[in-house]
Coordinates of all heavy atoms in Angstrom, one line a residue:
V15 N -140.4 -129.2 -27.2 CA -141.8 -129.6 -27.0 C -141.9 -130.5 -25.8 O -142.8 -130.3 -25.0 CB -142.4 -130.2 -28.3 CG1 -143.8 -130.8 -28.0 CG2 -142.5 -129.3 -29.5
F16 N -141.1 -131.5 -25.8 CA -141.2 -132.5 -24.7 C -141.0 -131.9 -23.4 O -141.8 -132.2 -22.4 CB -140.1 -133.6 -25.0 CG -140.2 -134.7 -23.9 CD1 -141.2 -135.7 -23.9 CD2 -139.2 -134.7 -22.9 CE1 -141.2 -136.6 -23.0 CE2 -139.3 -135.7 -21.9 CZ -140.3 -136.7 -22.0
E17 N -140.0 -131.0 -23.2 CA -139.8 -130.4 -21.9 C -141.0 -129.6 -21.4 O -141.4 -129.6 -20.3 CB -138.5 -129.5 -21.9 CG -137.3 -130.3 -22.0 CD -136.5 -130.1 -23.3 OE1 -136.9 -129.1 -24.1 OE2 -135.6 -130.8 -23.6
L18 N -141.6 -128.8 -22.3 CA -142.8 -128.0 -22.0 C -143.9 -128.9 -21.6 O -144.6 -128.6 -20.6 CB -143.1 -127.1 -23.2 CG -144.2 -126.0 -22.9 CD1 -143.7 -125.0 -21.9 CD2 -144.5 -125.3 -24.2
I19 N -144.2 -129.9 -22.3 CA -145.3 -130.9 -22.0 C -145.0 -131.5 -20.6 O -145.9 -131.6 -19.8 CB -145.4 -131.9 -23.1 CG1 -146.0 -131.3 -24.3 CG2 -146.3 -133.1 -22.6 CD1 -146.1 -132.2 -25.5
E20 N -143.8 -132.0 -20.4 CA -143.4 -132.7 -19.2 C -143.6 -131.8 -18.0 O -144.0 -132.2 -16.9 CB -142.0 -133.2 -19.3 CG -141.6 -134.2 -18.2 CD -140.3 -134.8 -18.4 OE1 -139.3 -134.0 -18.4 OE2 -140.2 -136.0 -18.6
E21 N -143.2 -130.5 -18.1 CA -143.3 -129.6 -17.0 C -144.7 -129.1 -16.6 O -145.0 -129.0 -15.5 CB -142.4 -128.4 -17.3 CG -142.3 -127.4 -16.1 CD -141.3 -126.3 -16.3 OE1 -140.4 -126.4 -17.2 OE2 -141.3 -125.4 -15.4
Y22 N -145.5 -128.9 -17.6 CA -146.8 -128.3 -17.4 C -148.1 -129.1 -17.6 O -149.2 -128.6 -17.3 CB -146.9 -127.0 -18.2 CG -145.9 -125.9 -17.8 CD1 -144.7 -125.7 -18.5 CD2 -146.1 -125.2 -16.6 CE1 -143.8 -124.8 -18.1 CE2 -145.2 -124.2 -16.2 CZ -144.1 -124.0 -17.0 OH -143.2 -123.1 -16.6
F23 N -147.9 -130.3 -18.2 CA -149.1 -131.0 -18.6 C -149.0 -132.5 -18.2 O -147.9 -133.0 -18.0 CB -149.3 -131.0 -20.1 CG -149.4 -129.6 -20.7 CD1 -148.3 -128.9 -21.1 CD2 -150.6 -128.9 -20.7 CE1 -148.4 -127.6 -21.6 CE2 -150.7 -127.6 -21.2 CZ -149.6 -127.0 -21.7
I24 N -150.2 -133.1 -18.1 CA -150.3 -134.6 -17.9 C -150.9 -135.1 -19.2 O -152.0 -134.7 -19.6 CB -151.2 -134.9 -16.7 CG1 -150.6 -134.3 -15.4 CG2 -151.4 -136.4 -16.6 CD1 -151.5 -134.4 -14.2
T25 N -150.2 -136.0 -19.8 CA -150.6 -136.5 -21.1 C -151.4 -137.8 -20.9 O -151.1 -138.6 -20.0 CB -149.5 -136.8 -22.1 OG1 -148.6 -137.8 -21.5 CG2 -148.7 -135.5 -22.4
V26 N -152.4 -138.0 -21.7 CA -153.3 -139.2 -21.7 C -153.5 -139.6 -23.2 O -153.9 -138.7 -24.0 CB -154.6 -138.9 -21.0 CG1 -155.5 -140.2 -21.1 CG2 -154.4 -138.5 -19.6
S27 N -153.3 -140.8 -23.5 CA -153.6 -141.3 -24.8 C -154.8 -142.2 -24.8 O -154.9 -143.1 -24.0 CB -152.4 -142.1 -25.4 OG -152.6 -142.6 -26.6
I28 N -155.8 -141.9 -25.7 CA -157.0 -142.7 -25.7 C -157.3 -143.2 -27.1 O -157.2 -142.4 -28.1 CB -158.2 -141.9 -25.2 CG1 -158.0 -141.5 -23.7 CG2 -159.5 -142.7 -25.3 CD1 -159.0 -140.5 -23.2
D29 N -157.6 -144.5 -27.3 CA -157.9 -145.0 -28.6 C -159.5 -144.8 -28.7 O -160.2 -145.5 -28.1 CB -157.6 -146.5 -28.7 CG -157.9 -147.1 -30.0 OD1 -158.7 -146.5 -30.8 OD2 -157.5 -148.2 -30.2
I30 N -159.9 -143.8 -29.5 CA -161.3 -143.5 -29.6 C -162.1 -144.5 -30.3 O -163.3 -144.5 -30.3 CB -161.6 -142.1 -30.1 CG1 -161.1 -142.0 -31.6 CG2 -160.9 -141.0 -29.3 CD1 -161.5 -140.7 -32.3
S31 N -161.5 -145.5 -30.9 CA -162.2 -146.5 -31.6 C -162.7 -147.6 -30.6 O -163.6 -148.4 -30.9 CB -161.4 -147.2 -32.7 OG -160.3 -147.9 -32.2
T32 N -162.0 -147.6 -29.4 CA -162.4 -148.6 -28.4 C -162.8 -148.1 -27.1 O -163.3 -148.8 -26.2 CB -161.2 -149.6 -28.2 OG1 -160.1 -148.8 -27.7 CG2 -160.8 -150.3 -29.4
T33 N -162.6 -146.8 -26.9 CA -162.8 -146.1 -25.6 C -163.6 -144.8 -25.8 O -163.2 -144.0 -26.6 CB -161.5 -145.9 -24.8 OG1 -160.7 -147.1 -24.8 CG2 -161.7 -145.3 -23.5
E34 N -164.6 -144.6 -25.0 CA -165.3 -143.4 -25.0 C -164.5 -142.3 -24.3 O -163.9 -142.5 -23.2 CB -166.7 -143.6 -24.3 CG -167.7 -142.5 -24.6 CD -169.1 -142.9 -24.0 OE1 -169.5 -144.0 -24.3 OE2 -169.7 -142.1 -23.3
L35 N -164.6 -141.1 -24.8 CA -163.9 -140.0 -24.1 C -164.6 -139.6 -22.9 O -165.8 -139.6 -22.8 CB -163.8 -138.8 -25.1 CG -162.9 -138.9 -26.3 CD1 -163.0 -137.7 -27.2 CD2 -161.5 -139.1 -25.9
P36 N -163.8 -139.2 -21.8 CA -164.5 -138.8 -20.6 C -165.1 -137.4 -20.7 O -164.8 -136.7 -21.7 CB -163.3 -138.8 -19.6 CG -162.1 -138.5 -20.5 CD -162.4 -139.2 -21.8
L37 N -165.8 -137.0 -19.7 CA -166.3 -135.6 -19.5 C -167.2 -135.2 -20.6 O -167.4 -134.0 -20.9 CB -165.2 -134.6 -19.4 CG -164.1 -134.9 -18.3 CD1 -163.0 -133.9 -18.4 CD2 -164.8 -134.8 -16.9
G38 N -167.8 -136.1 -21.3 CA -168.7 -135.8 -22.4 C -168.0 -135.2 -23.6 O -168.7 -134.6 -24.5
L39 N -166.7 -135.4 -23.7 CA -165.9 -134.8 -24.8 C -166.2 -135.6 -26.1 O -166.6 -136.8 -26.0 CB -164.4 -134.9 -24.5 CG -164.0 -134.1 -23.4 CD1 -162.5 -134.4 -23.0 CD2 -164.1 -132.6 -23.7
N40 N -166.1 -134.9 -27.2 CA -166.3 -135.6 -28.5 C -165.3 -135.1 -29.5 O -165.0 -133.9 -29.6 CB -167.7 -135.2 -29.0 CG -168.2 -136.0 -30.2 OD1 -167.5 -137.0 -30.5 ND2 -169.3 -135.7 -30.8
T41 N -164.7 -136.0 -30.3 CA -163.9 -135.6 -31.3 C -163.9 -136.7 -32.4 O -164.2 -137.9 -32.1 CB -162.4 -135.4 -30.9 OG1 -161.6 -134.9 -31.9 CG2 -161.8 -136.7 -30.4
E42 N -163.8 -136.3 -33.6 CA -163.9 -137.3 -34.7 C -162.6 -137.4 -35.5 O -162.4 -138.3 -36.3 CB -165.1 -136.9 -35.7 CG -166.4 -137.0 -35.0 CD -167.6 -136.6 -35.9 OE1 -167.4 -136.6 -37.1 OE2 -168.6 -136.4 -35.4
L43 N -161.7 -136.5 -35.3 CA -160.4 -136.5 -35.9 C -159.3 -136.9 -35.0 O -159.3 -136.6 -33.8 CB -160.1 -135.1 -36.5 CG -161.0 -134.5 -37.5 CD1 -160.6 -133.1 -37.8 CD2 -160.9 -135.3 -38.8
T44 N -158.4 -137.7 -35.6 CA -157.2 -138.0 -34.8 C -156.0 -137.7 -35.6 O -156.0 -137.7 -36.8 CB -157.1 -139.5 -34.5 OG1 -157.1 -140.3 -35.7 CG2 -158.3 -139.9 -33.6
P45 N -154.9 -137.2 -35.0 CA -154.9 -136.9 -33.5 C -155.7 -135.7 -33.2 O -155.9 -134.8 -34.0 CB -153.4 -136.7 -33.2 CG -152.9 -136.1 -34.5 CD -153.7 -136.8 -35.6
S46 N -156.1 -135.6 -31.9 CA -156.7 -134.4 -31.4 C -156.1 -134.1 -30.0 O -155.7 -135.1 -29.3 CB -158.2 -134.6 -31.1 OG -158.9 -134.6 -32.4
F47 N -155.9 -132.9 -29.7 CA -155.2 -132.5 -28.5 C -156.3 -131.7 -27.7 O -156.7 -130.6 -28.1 CB -154.0 -131.6 -28.8 CG -153.0 -132.4 -29.6 CD1 -153.0 -132.3 -31.0 CD2 -152.1 -133.2 -29.0 CE1 -152.0 -133.0 -31.7 CE2 -151.2 -133.9 -29.7 CZ -151.1 -133.8 -31.1
I48 N -156.7 -132.2 -26.6 CA -157.7 -131.6 -25.8 C -157.1 -131.2 -24.4 O -156.6 -132.1 -23.7 CB -158.9 -132.6 -25.5 CG1 -159.5 -133.0 -26.9 CG2 -160.0 -131.9 -24.7 CD1 -160.5 -134.1 -26.8
F49 N -157.1 -130.0 -24.1 CA -156.5 -129.5 -22.9 C -157.6 -129.1 -21.9 O -158.5 -128.4 -22.2 CB -155.6 -128.2 -23.2 CG -154.5 -128.5 -24.2 CD1 -154.7 -128.4 -25.5 CD2 -153.3 -128.9 -23.7 CE1 -153.6 -128.7 -26.4 CE2 -152.2 -129.2 -24.5 CZ -152.4 -129.1 -25.9
I50 N -157.5 -129.7 -20.7 CA -158.5 -129.6 -19.7 C -157.8 -129.1 -18.4 O -156.7 -129.6 -18.0 CB -159.2 -131.0 -19.4 CG1 -159.8 -131.5 -20.7 CG2 -160.2 -130.9 -18.3 CD1 -160.2 -132.9 -20.7
D51 N -158.4 -128.2 -17.7 CA -157.8 -127.7 -16.5 C -158.2 -128.6 -15.3 O -159.0 -129.5 -15.5 CB -158.1 -126.2 -16.2 CG -159.5 -125.9 -15.8 OD1 -160.3 -126.9 -15.6 OD2 -159.9 -124.7 -15.8
K52 N -157.7 -128.2 -14.1 CA -158.0 -129.1 -12.9 C -159.4 -129.1 -12.5 O -159.8 -129.9 -11.7 CB -157.1 -128.6 -11.8 CG -157.4 -127.2 -11.3 CD -156.4 -126.8 -10.2 CE -156.6 -125.4 -9.8 NZ -155.7 -125.0 -8.8
N53 N -160.2 -128.2 -13.0 CA -161.7 -128.1 -12.7 C -162.5 -128.8 -13.8 O -163.7 -128.6 -13.9 CB -162.1 -126.7 -12.5 CG -161.4 -126.0 -11.4 OD1 -161.3 -126.6 -10.3 ND2 -160.8 -124.9 -11.6
A54 N -161.9 -129.5 -14.7 CA -162.5 -130.2 -15.8 C -163.1 -129.3 -16.9 O -164.0 -129.7 -17.6 CB -163.6 -131.2 -15.3
K55 N -162.6 -128.1 -16.9 CA -163.0 -127.1 -18.0 C -162.1 -127.3 -19.2 O -160.8 -127.3 -19.1 CB -162.8 -125.7 -17.4 CG -163.2 -124.6 -18.5 CD -162.9 -123.3 -17.9 CE -163.1 -122.2 -19.1 NZ -162.6 -120.9 -18.7
V56 N -162.7 -127.4 -20.4 CA -161.9 -127.6 -21.6 C -161.3 -126.2 -22.0 O -162.0 -125.2 -22.2 CB -162.8 -128.1 -22.8 CG1 -162.0 -128.1 -24.1 CG2 -163.3 -129.5 -22.4
L57 N -160.0 -126.1 -22.0 CA -159.3 -124.9 -22.4 C -159.1 -124.8 -23.9 O -159.2 -123.7 -24.4 CB -157.9 -124.9 -21.7 CG -157.9 -124.9 -20.2 CD1 -156.5 -125.0 -19.6 CD2 -158.7 -123.7 -19.6
L58 N -158.9 -125.9 -24.5 CA -158.6 -125.9 -26.0 C -158.8 -127.3 -26.5 O -158.4 -128.3 -25.9 CB -157.2 -125.4 -26.2 CG -156.8 -124.8 -27.5 CD1 -157.7 -123.5 -27.8 CD2 -155.4 -124.3 -27.5
N59 N -159.5 -127.4 -27.7 CA -159.7 -128.7 -28.3 C -159.2 -128.5 -29.8 O -159.8 -127.9 -30.6 CB -161.1 -129.1 -28.3 CG -161.4 -130.5 -28.8 OD1 -160.6 -131.0 -29.5 ND2 -162.6 -131.0 -28.5
I60 N -158.0 -129.1 -30.0 CA -157.3 -128.8 -31.3 C -157.2 -130.2 -32.1 O -156.5 -131.1 -31.6 CB -155.9 -128.3 -31.1 CG1 -156.0 -127.0 -30.2 CG2 -155.2 -128.0 -32.4 CD1 -156.6 -125.8 -30.9
P61 N -157.9 -130.3 -33.2 CA -157.7 -131.5 -34.0 C -156.5 -131.4 -35.0 O -156.1 -130.3 -35.3 CB -159.0 -131.6 -34.8 CG -159.4 -130.2 -34.9 CD -159.0 -129.5 -33.7
G62 N -156.0 -132.5 -35.3 CA -155.0 -132.5 -36.4 C -153.5 -132.5 -35.9 O -153.3 -132.3 -34.7
A63 N -152.6 -132.7 -36.8 CA -151.2 -132.7 -36.5 C -150.7 -131.3 -36.7 O -151.2 -130.6 -37.6 CB -150.5 -133.7 -37.4
W64 N -149.6 -130.9 -36.0 CA -149.1 -129.6 -36.1 C -147.6 -129.7 -36.2 O -146.9 -130.6 -35.7 CB -149.4 -128.8 -34.8 CG -150.9 -128.7 -34.7 CD1 -151.8 -129.6 -34.2 CD2 -151.7 -127.5 -35.1 NE1 -153.1 -129.1 -34.3 CE2 -153.0 -127.8 -34.8 CE3 -151.3 -126.3 -35.7 CZ2 -154.0 -126.9 -35.1 CZ3 -152.4 -125.4 -35.9 CH2 -153.7 -125.7 -35.7
N65 N -147.0 -128.7 -36.9 CA -145.5 -128.6 -36.9 C -145.0 -128.2 -35.6 O -145.8 -127.7 -34.7 CB -145.0 -127.8 -38.1 CG -145.3 -126.3 -37.9 OD1 -145.1 -125.7 -36.8 ND2 -145.7 -125.7 -39.0
K66 N -143.7 -128.3 -35.3 CA -143.2 -128.1 -34.0 C -143.4 -126.7 -33.5 O -143.9 -126.5 -32.4 CB -141.7 -128.4 -34.0 CG -141.0 -128.1 -32.7 CD -139.5 -128.4 -32.8 CE -138.8 -128.2 -31.5 NZ -137.4 -128.5 -31.6
M67 N -143.2 -125.7 -34.3 CA -143.3 -124.3 -33.9 C -144.8 -123.9 -33.6 O -145.1 -123.3 -32.6 CB -142.7 -123.3 -34.9 CG -141.2 -123.5 -35.1 SD -140.3 -123.5 -33.5 CE -140.6 -121.8 -32.9
D68 N -145.7 -124.4 -34.4 CA -147.1 -124.1 -34.2 C -147.6 -124.8 -32.9 O -148.4 -124.3 -32.1 CB -148.0 -124.5 -35.4 CG -147.8 -123.6 -36.6 OD1 -147.3 -122.5 -36.4 OD2 -148.1 -124.0 -37.7
F69 N -147.1 -126.0 -32.7 CA -147.6 -126.8 -31.5 C -147.0 -126.1 -30.3 O -147.7 -126.0 -29.2 CB -147.1 -128.2 -31.6 CG -147.8 -129.1 -30.6 CD1 -149.2 -129.3 -30.7 CD2 -147.1 -129.7 -29.6 CE1 -149.8 -130.1 -29.7 CE2 -147.7 -130.5 -28.7 CZ -149.1 -130.7 -28.7
L70 N -145.8 -125.6 -30.3 CA -145.2 -124.9 -29.2 C -146.1 -123.7 -28.9 O -146.3 -123.4 -27.7 CB -143.8 -124.5 -29.4 CG -142.7 -125.6 -29.2 CD1 -141.4 -125.1 -29.8 CD2 -142.6 -125.9 -27.7
D71 N -146.5 -123.0 -29.9 CA -147.4 -121.8 -29.7 C -148.7 -122.2 -29.0 O -149.2 -121.5 -28.1 CB -147.7 -121.1 -31.0 CG -146.5 -120.3 -31.5 OD1 -145.5 -120.1 -30.8 OD2 -146.5 -120.0 -32.8
L72 N -149.3 -123.3 -29.4 CA -150.5 -123.8 -28.8 C -150.3 -124.2 -27.3 O -151.1 -123.8 -26.5 CB -151.0 -125.1 -29.5 CG -151.6 -124.9 -30.9 CD1 -151.8 -126.2 -31.6 CD2 -152.8 -124.1 -30.9
L73 N -149.2 -124.9 -27.0 CA -148.8 -125.2 -25.7 C -148.7 -124.0 -24.8 O -149.2 -123.9 -23.7 CB -147.6 -126.1 -25.6 CG -147.6 -127.5 -26.2 CD1 -146.3 -128.1 -26.2 CD2 -148.7 -128.3 -25.5
R74 N -148.0 -123.0 -25.3 CA -147.8 -121.7 -24.5 C -149.2 -121.0 -24.3 O -149.4 -120.5 -23.2 CB -146.9 -120.8 -25.3 CG -145.5 -121.3 -25.2 CD -144.5 -120.3 -25.9 NE -143.2 -120.9 -26.0 CZ -142.6 -121.3 -27.1 NH1 -143.2 -121.1 -28.3 NH2 -141.4 -121.8 -27.1
E75 N -150.1 -121.1 -25.3 CA -151.4 -120.5 -25.2 C -152.2 -121.2 -24.1 O -152.8 -120.5 -23.2 CB -152.2 -120.6 -26.5 CG -153.6 -120.0 -26.4 CD -154.3 -120.2 -27.7 OE1 -153.7 -120.5 -28.7 OE2 -155.6 -120.1 -27.6
V76 N -152.2 -122.5 -24.1 CA -152.9 -123.2 -23.0 C -152.2 -123.0 -21.6 O -153.0 -122.8 -20.7 CB -152.9 -124.7 -23.3 CG1 -153.5 -125.5 -22.2 CG2 -153.6 -125.0 -24.6
K77 N -150.9 -123.0 -21.6 CA -150.2 -122.7 -20.3 C -150.7 -121.4 -19.7 O -150.9 -121.3 -18.5 CB -148.7 -122.8 -20.6 CG -147.9 -122.6 -19.3 CD -146.5 -122.8 -19.6 CE -145.8 -121.7 -19.1 NZ -145.0 -120.7 -19.4
T78 N -150.8 -120.4 -20.6 CA -151.3 -119.1 -20.1 C -152.7 -119.1 -19.6 O -153.0 -118.5 -18.6 CB -151.2 -118.0 -21.3 OG1 -149.8 -118.0 -21.7 CG2 -151.6 -116.7 -20.9
K79 N -153.6 -119.9 -20.3 CA -155.0 -120.0 -19.9 C -155.2 -120.7 -18.6 O -156.1 -120.4 -17.8 CB -155.8 -120.7 -21.0 CG -156.1 -119.9 -22.2 CD -156.9 -120.7 -23.1 CE -157.3 -119.9 -24.4 NZ -158.3 -120.6 -25.2
Q80 N -154.3 -121.6 -18.2 CA -154.4 -122.4 -17.0 C -153.8 -121.7 -15.8 O -154.0 -122.1 -14.7 CB -153.9 -123.8 -17.1 CG -152.4 -123.9 -17.3 CD -152.0 -125.3 -17.4 OE1 -152.8 -126.2 -17.5 NE2 -150.7 -125.5 -17.5
M81 N -153.2 -120.5 -16.0 CA -152.6 -119.8 -14.8 C -153.5 -118.8 -14.3 O -154.4 -118.3 -14.8 CB -151.3 -119.2 -15.2 CG -150.3 -120.3 -15.6 SD -148.7 -119.6 -15.9 CE -147.7 -121.0 -15.5

C-alpha cells in the first residue's frame, strides 16, 4: 500500500474538527479518503477504514481514473 501511495499520490491529513475542507468538499465520517486530480476534480470520495486488499483495489481504481 505504502509504495503505491508514495509513487502515485500526494497525501494530506486534515483534522476536520478544526479545519474546513478545501474545494467545497464535505465529509462527516473519519477516516475519509478523497482523491482529487490535478484539475481539482474529485475522482473518488470513500469514507471509512478498509482492509489492505480492498484499499489496494481502491488505489488502483483511482490511479486508472487519473491517467
Side-chain angles (χ1 to χ4, degrees):
V15 172
F16 180 77
E17 287 116 11
L18 190 63
I19 290 174
E20 190 174 65
E21 184 172 350
Y22 293 101
F23 301 95
I24 299 169
T25 60
V26 177
S27 178
I28 298 174
D29 181 348
I30 63 170
S31 68
T32 61
T33 307
E34 196 171 311
L35 292 174
L37 304 173
L39 296 169
N40 191 10
T41 190
E42 296 182 16
L43 296 174
T44 60
S46 288
F47 301 93
I48 304 171
F49 297 90
I50 303 167
D51 71 8
K52 64 183 177 184
N53 300 311
K55 177 184 173 192
V56 175
L57 301 174
L58 208 55
N59 186 344
I60 305 292
W64 297 82
N65 69 45
K66 181 179 178 178
M67 295 311 294
D68 289 341
F69 194 66
L70 279 170
D71 288 341
L72 290 171
L73 292 175
R74 290 183 187 112
E75 178 184 345
V76 173
K77 185 177 128 235
T78 302
K79 285 184 176 188
Q80 68 181 3
M81 295 184 153

